[in-house]
Amino acid sequence: RVTRVTLTPRNPVLGWGDAWEQKVLMSFDDRVARGEKAEGLEHHEVVVEPHGKFVRYMRALPMLPICNHCHGLPEQISESVRNEIHHDYPHDRAQGIGVGKVRGAVTFKKPL
């Protein structure tokens, strides 16, 4: 399984990660807060879950300046885009993220 996850989903039905992914995302946020750059942050490990053993990998997706058009502070997002987001994603939590922060991550999970 390869997908994207975040702690601040635009669509809460699709964007939440599982407990392992949320823990890694929080560790990415902590690492950025301590001065590491979001670009290149990654984590991998072998985990044992009720359904077997898996290799897990995540790589952070950094917030870039271009991302501000949809994920920046509300005043950075054009009114037309804000209206579309509000219409399509009434429970959106994917705004107000600063450049250089972790927007989310690509996650990979494979059974061993």
Side-chain angles (χ1 to χ4, degrees):
R1 177 180 70 102
V2 177
T3 191
R4 291 176 302 162
V5 293
T6 182
L7 296 174
T8 55
R10 174 136 289 153
N11 182 348
V13 175
L14 300 175
W16 289 111
D18 62 23
W20 184 88
E21 292 161 334
Q22 290 179 28
K23 179 182 83 171
V24 174
L25 283 167
M26 287 186 285
S27 77
F28 286 168
D29 284 344
D30 289 342
R31 290 169 64 184
V32 169
R34 289 192 314 266
E36 289 187 59
K37 296 199 179 293
E39 303 88 37
L41 287 180
E42 57 187 359
H43 178 82
H44 69 280
E45 67 182 290
V46 174
V47 298
V48 178
E49 298 177 357
H51 292 98
K53 189 186 252 188
F54 297 86
V55 63
R56 305 284 317 248
Y57 172 81
M58 284 181 62
R59 183 172 179 98
L61 295 170
M63 180 75 174
L64 302 173
I66 189 85
C67 305
N68 279 327
H69 296 292
C70 297
H71 298 287
L73 297 171
E75 58 270 14
Q76 295 172 308
I77 302 171
S78 73
E79 184 177 351
S80 62
V81 171
R82 277 195 322 265
N83 290 339
E84 285 293 319
I85 290 169
H86 180 71
H87 178 266
D88 294 342
Y89 305 100
H91 303 289
D92 175 45
R93 295 184 53 210
Q95 295 179 30
I97 303 158
V99 170
K101 302 293 184 185
V102 174
R103 168 67 195 101
V106 173
T107 182
F108 170 84
K109 180 179 181 179
K110 180 179 179 180
L112 293 176

